Amino acid sequence: MTRHRDLWPQVVAPETIELAYKRARRGKRWQRTVQRVELRKAAVLEDVRRSLVDKSFTTSEYRTKKVYEPKERTIYVLPFEPDRIVQHAVMVVVSPIWDRMFDGASHACRPGRGQHSASSKTMEYVRRCKYAFQGDIQKFYPSVHHDTLLGIVRQKIKDPGVLWLIDDIVRSFPGGRNVPIGNLTSQWLGNLYMNEFDVFVRQTLRPAGYVRYNDDFLLFGDDKQKLNADRERARAFLMGRLKLTMSKDRVYPTKCGVDFVGYRHFPGYILIRKSTARRVKKRLALLRHEIDTDQISFERARSVVASTLGWLRWANAHNLQRSLGLDAIQGEIIAAL
């Protein structure tokens, strides 16, 4: 196994800090904190770089906020300066190394992959296999065990500077567990953590098909008895190696429809998940209100509609699209521009 060293000079290089700033700023130029940093960018980035060079940096205190879609979750927010810039800096260097190492079954939070690639692969296996074993992890991110995670990181990275920084970020949350939702690093560390499970599935369980999106995963096969045995072995591995518990796990015929990444996959077609359709209807009703009361620009409204149409395009959703009146809304927005 290759353990990567000599990474720290790349992390603290001025061009890396500059690139990290641009990535952290992306889509957030309207925020006042970002605008304030922009006015004194050179000094801020030099301060960030120097805090890494002399290792005076430490992760700031989190503030929290609640989100309720698709379910209630607590999001942990760090300041733009220095924390988000620092997290982007380390991931500029480390993420390409980890991404090359990850299994092809992993689709979340990876360049060139996502929900649609996971859905396409799921559909491929639904057409080929009779049964699916579906599972997910109970409170995944809050359950990630710090010592286990950092042990996995040390199997991949030898550079002391990078290890110091990742240790500081991981242990910034007290209690020995949790990589907070909201951190850029948490997405990558979560994938690194579950990559251990991917290796176990590939080398030990060897299913006919395997797809994972974050902590949700599917194993496919034609032998229902084997998949039931795989379920028990998977549960034991997750608890023993990663100290995680499955919250749901079942084996069922694929012809009944595989509900995954927002879609319901049947051997001959794909439908939008009912809960997803309800959220779309709710969002479009709110969009109508925001347009009528001038709470949203027409450019932003067009983006919301285009995103929704793009989501529906991946499923057999013609009737749903008509019932939502998306074409009419889009026509009104275009006429107003």
Side-chain angles (χ1 to χ4, degrees):
M1 179 187 298
T2 301
R3 293 176 67 206
H4 296 269
R5 62 176 74 196
D6 301 324
L7 303 176
W8 191 240
Q10 299 175 52
V11 174
V12 300
E15 56 269 25
T16 301
I17 304 300
E18 175 77 24
L19 177 58
Y21 167 72
K22 290 178 179 178
R23 290 186 178 181
R25 182 187 63 182
R26 189 178 298 157
K28 299 179 177 66
R29 287 174 177 263
W30 57 272
Q31 293 182 358
R32 291 181 181 177
T33 53
V34 177
Q35 293 171 356
R36 284 197 293 267
V37 170
E38 184 70 22
L39 293 174
R40 41 190 286 272
K41 186 184 83 170
V44 168
L45 297 191
E46 179 56 26
D47 287 346
V48 170
R49 193 185 76 82
R50 195 169 299 279
S51 74
L52 293 175
V53 170
D54 63 22
K55 294 186 171 60
S56 61
F57 170 83
T58 188
T59 301
S60 303
E61 185 175 346
Y62 292 94
R63 66 179 178 85
T64 61
K65 65 178 182 179
K66 292 281 189 181
V67 297
Y68 299 93
E69 293 290 348
K71 59 184 178 181
E72 182 177 337
R73 293 180 299 167
T74 301
I75 304 297
Y76 296 86
V77 183
L78 287 170
F80 177 78
E81 169 208 352
D83 296 86
R84 281 187 261 169
I85 299 172
V86 165
Q87 291 197 12
H88 274 277
V90 69
M91 295 319 303
V92 163
V93 176
V94 172
S95 63
I97 296 171
W98 287 353
D99 191 62
R100 288 192 298 270
M101 179 185 68
F102 290 160
D103 189 273
S106 172
H107 291 265
C109 308
R110 297 182 63 186
R113 291 170 175 260
Q115 289 173 296
H116 293 143
S117 66
S119 175
S120 295
K121 205 65 182 177
T122 299
M123 195 63 183
E124 176 186 328
Y125 293 133
V126 165
R127 290 190 178 111
R128 283 168 37 191
C129 302
K130 294 180 180 178
Y131 297 99
F133 155 39
Q134 184 166 15
D136 72 1
I137 308 301
Q138 183 176 8
K139 296 182 179 178
F140 172 60
Y141 286 104
S143 299
V144 171
H145 187 257
H146 290 173
D147 288 345
T148 302
L149 171 61
L150 293 171
I152 294 169
V153 171
R154 279 167 170 72
Q155 292 174 5
K156 321 298 182 185
I157 292 177
K158 194 173 183 178
D159 186 286
V162 172
L163 292 175
W164 162 77
L165 181 55
I166 291 177
D167 274 26
D168 183 89
I169 294 170
V170 169
R171 297 197 187 278
S172 65
F173 202 95
R177 287 185 185 264
N178 203 338
V179 285
I181 300 172
N183 279 355
L184 169 70
T185 51
S186 294
Q187 302 172 12
W188 286 94
L189 290 168
N191 258 342
L192 183 69
Y193 205 66
M194 287 298 289
N195 188 64
E196 300 291 298
F197 182 66
D198 297 340
V199 172
F200 166 76
V201 170
R202 292 294 195 192
Q203 295 183 356
T204 304
L205 302 184
R206 299 185 178 183
Y210 175 51
V211 187
R212 181 173 64 81
Y213 193 88
N214 285 328
D215 61 307
D216 296 316
F217 57 88
L218 293 162
L219 280 69
F220 292 90
D222 292 328
D223 186 336
K224 186 176 181 181
Q225 186 174 356
K226 179 186 182 302
L227 284 178
N228 275 309
D230 289 346
R231 178 172 60 175
E232 299 306 315
R233 297 174 78 183
R235 184 187 290 117
F237 176 87
L238 288 165
M239 177 59 73
R241 173 72 177 103
L242 300 178
K243 298 176 173 57
L244 299 173
T245 303
M246 283 197 287
S247 63
K248 66 178 182 184
D249 55 285
R250 64 190 186 105
V251 176
Y252 58 94
T254 53
K255 67 181 181 181
C256 295
V258 175
D259 194 336
F260 194 62
V261 293
Y263 298 100
R264 295 180 65 204
H265 304 80
F266 295 86
Y269 57 95
I270 303 176
L271 299 178
I272 298 291
R273 181 187 289 169
K274 291 180 180 179
S275 58
T276 304
R278 286 195 296 269
R279 286 200 302 274
V280 170
K281 289 179 181 179
K282 183 179 178 181
R283 178 67 187 102
L284 289 177
L286 177 61
L287 181 66
R288 281 278 194 188
H289 173 73
E290 290 172 336
I291 292 172
D292 293 342
T293 56
D294 296 324
Q295 296 182 46
I296 189 171
S297 69
F298 283 109
E299 284 288 352
R300 175 58 184 154
R302 182 168 67 173
S303 176
V304 171
V305 172
S307 175
T308 304
L309 286 168
W311 179 263
L312 296 176
R313 180 171 59 84
W314 290 83
N316 301 84
H318 178 71
N319 290 337
L320 175 61
Q321 183 171 325
R322 288 184 61 187
S323 70
L324 293 172
L326 271 169
D327 294 333
I329 297 174
Q330 187 178 46
E332 292 171 18
I333 293 170
I334 291 173
L337 289 172

